[in-house]
Amino acid sequence: MKCNLMRTLGLAICTLIFGPGVEAEEIAKADSIRKYKYYAKTARQNKEYDRAISYYTTLLQYSPQDLQAAYFLGKVYYQKKDYVGVRTALRQAISIDSLHLNTNLLLYSVYQADFPDSAAWSLERVLLKKPDAAEHRHKLADLYRREGHNEQAVAHYEKLIEDGAEDADLFEILALLHQELGQVEQALEWCKRQVEGGTGGVDQLESIVELKLKVGDIEGAYDTLLKLAKVDSQNAYSYYNRIASIASEEDDDTWRCKGLKGMVEADPKDLPSIAELVEWHQGRSEFSAAKKWLGRGLKVNPKDAHLLLLKGDNLVKEGDEEEAIAAFEKAKADPAWEKVAQQRIWQLRPPETEEEKLKRQFFGGEEAQEEQN
């Protein structure tokens, strides 16, 4: 009613100023607009797309600022897969209202495959109109991430979480993006949030280890590896082995020992690690502890030459030379350790005959030492 009143008033003013001819022209134009709107809508609904395009094009000639006409013209071109026509029509719609929601969403659909930057800008305009539209913000963040615009992607993913998004994958995505940006501490925080939220698994814990090492938190890396050994018990050996390796690099004997012990607990047949533990205790004059580890190792393989040598060394420290020589004699059965074992025997029982002396010279103390190392 109000619109009709204003139209009537406008026509009356035009008549007074310009005469009755102008009123007739305005009436004819208004009638044409109504007619072509009806024709265009009917053709579009009946999927007569060529007729609809013709009607909407004519309608826009009469009413260039008709936002709905420009948008629906673009939509009809979209149905025909005429993407040049779509962009032309929708650019006209954007010039009328840059924040028109449906126009920008349709532009995103058209641009996303070949013009990602334009697609992103279309979604940015959508979010200016509807900042709480989480679905569209997620699409925009994904688009930025695919195109390598990590900083923009991070901003939108973090806004999603700030707005209450419960998508657990976002924590992992943010951790990876921050890591790619060289923002290690932020990446570490997102990994922690994922694990603390109960959605992180082995992969996230392993990422935390690497991130902690990058920021110099060695103790934190050890603690996380211990947690991994419990969570992923089937691979516990590898986590304890990592602890031992890191500790060796850090010259941290205490944690190296913890790593070796964990390796043996995970694999009781790991004789090389048992031998290292024996040597570790012997180096600290902890011969009782060394003896316990020797017992475990020789129970697995009573003929292991390395352990037999270490057993002999332990017996020497205990003052039992006869048993020590017996252990060294058994170790000689392994060609890889024969020279070292013979040197141990000669240290306790020097050779007496010329033949024995020649043999000792042949084996040579220095060469035997190298073999031991």
Side-chain angles (χ1 to χ4, degrees):
M1 178 68 74
K2 184 176 180 181
C3 291
N4 290 334
L5 179 61
M6 294 298 294
R7 178 173 173 274
T8 302
L9 181 59
L11 290 174
I13 293 171
C14 288
T15 301
L16 288 172
I17 297 174
F18 302 107
V22 173
E23 178 182 4
E25 185 179 332
E26 288 295 323
I27 291 172
K29 180 179 178 180
D31 286 343
S32 294
I33 289 172
R34 285 195 300 273
K35 178 179 67 176
Y36 283 111
K37 275 188 177 180
Y38 173 76
Y39 288 160
K41 180 180 179 180
T42 302
R44 175 172 57 84
Q45 290 176 340
N46 290 334
K47 299 183 178 180
E48 298 172 349
Y49 296 134
D50 290 333
R51 290 168 61 86
I53 287 170
S54 177
Y55 291 138
Y56 277 122
T57 301
T58 304
L59 174 58
L60 284 166
Q61 291 173 358
Y62 282 104
S63 180
Q65 296 300 306
D66 191 324
L67 176 61
Q68 290 297 319
Y71 165 69
F72 281 119
L73 177 59
K75 192 169 183 180
V76 172
Y77 274 122
Y78 185 77
Q79 296 293 340
K80 286 176 60 65
K81 294 182 171 50
D82 181 348
Y83 298 117
V84 174
V86 176
R87 293 193 290 270
T88 301
L90 294 185
R91 276 197 293 267
Q92 184 173 353
I94 287 294
S95 71
I96 300 168
D97 180 1
S98 64
L99 300 185
H100 185 241
L101 187 64
N102 288 334
T103 296
N104 281 302
L105 288 175
L106 188 53
L107 277 172
Y108 163 73
S109 298
V110 172
Y111 283 135
Q112 63 173 324
D114 300 317
F115 304 97
D117 289 343
S118 297
W121 182 229
S122 298
L123 285 181
E124 289 283 8
R125 289 194 294 262
V126 168
L127 292 173
L128 287 173
K129 185 70 174 284
K130 292 186 68 176
D132 296 331
E135 177 186 355
H136 301 314
R137 190 175 296 280
H138 206 309
K139 287 179 181 177
L140 180 57
D142 289 344
L143 177 58
Y144 278 137
R145 180 162 61 100
R146 286 196 301 272
E147 295 304 310
H149 302 310
N150 288 356
E151 291 184 357
Q152 293 94 322
V154 164
H156 286 290
Y157 283 130
E158 290 186 347
K159 184 66 168 64
L160 284 168
I161 293 174
E162 179 185 324
D163 291 344
E166 297 294 333
D167 187 349
D169 291 339
L170 292 180
F171 294 119
E172 182 176 3
I173 291 171
L174 280 164
L176 291 171
L177 287 174
H178 278 296
Q179 193 169 357
E180 288 175 11
L181 288 167
Q183 299 164 349
V184 179
E185 292 186 359
Q186 293 93 322
L188 183 55
E189 286 304 311
W190 285 112
C191 279
K192 286 180 180 177
R193 285 186 65 173
Q194 186 175 12
V195 172
E196 289 167 359
T199 57
V202 170
D203 290 344
Q204 285 66 45
L205 287 170
E206 289 179 344
S207 294
I208 287 176
V209 172
E210 299 307 319
L211 292 168
K212 283 181 180 290
L213 290 173
K214 283 187 178 181
V215 298
D217 184 4
I218 307 302
E219 290 290 328
Y222 291 146
D223 290 339
T224 306
L225 284 165
L226 289 176
K227 186 181 292 185
L228 273 165
K230 292 180 180 179
V231 172
D232 185 16
S233 57
Q234 288 186 337
N235 293 305
Y237 183 90
S238 64
Y239 301 125
Y240 286 118
N241 188 22
R242 186 74 194 283
I243 289 174
S245 297
I246 294 170
S248 294
E249 293 173 5
E250 296 294 320
D251 199 22
D252 186 337
D253 286 340
T254 301
W255 273 101
R256 180 169 172 270
C257 181
K258 289 180 182 179
L260 290 170
K261 287 180 179 178
M263 290 164 69
V264 175
E265 291 301 324
D267 180 10
K269 295 181 180 180
D270 181 13
L271 298 182
S273 293
I274 290 177
E276 285 192 62
L277 283 166
V278 173
E279 291 172 334
W280 191 84
H281 285 295
Q282 287 180 342
R284 287 157 183 73
S285 299
E286 297 169 357
F287 299 109
S288 178
K291 187 174 182 178
K292 290 179 180 178
W293 285 109
L294 282 166
R296 287 185 62 168
L298 290 170
K299 186 176 181 180
V300 174
N301 182 8
K303 297 180 180 180
D304 186 90
H306 192 185
L307 290 177
L308 286 168
L309 280 169
L310 294 174
K311 178 182 178 181
D313 292 339
N314 226 48
L315 289 167
V316 170
K317 294 295 182 181
E318 292 176 353
D320 192 344
E321 292 188 358
E322 291 299 326
E323 287 297 321
I325 290 172
F328 295 145
E329 288 289 352
K330 290 180 182 178
K332 286 172 62 178
D334 185 339
W337 293 96
E338 181 182 3
K339 294 179 182 179
V340 179
Q342 184 62 68
Q343 282 298 313
R344 292 285 205 282
I345 294 170
W346 278 329
Q347 287 170 4
L348 297 175
R349 295 285 187 273
E352 296 178 356
T353 67
E354 283 300 317
E355 183 181 354
E356 288 174 332
K357 289 178 182 179
L358 289 172
K359 285 179 68 176
R360 186 179 188 187
Q361 289 174 1
F362 174 77
F363 283 116
E366 183 178 347
E367 183 181 4
Q369 185 65 36
E370 288 179 355
E371 189 71 33
Q372 179 184 13
N373 294 334

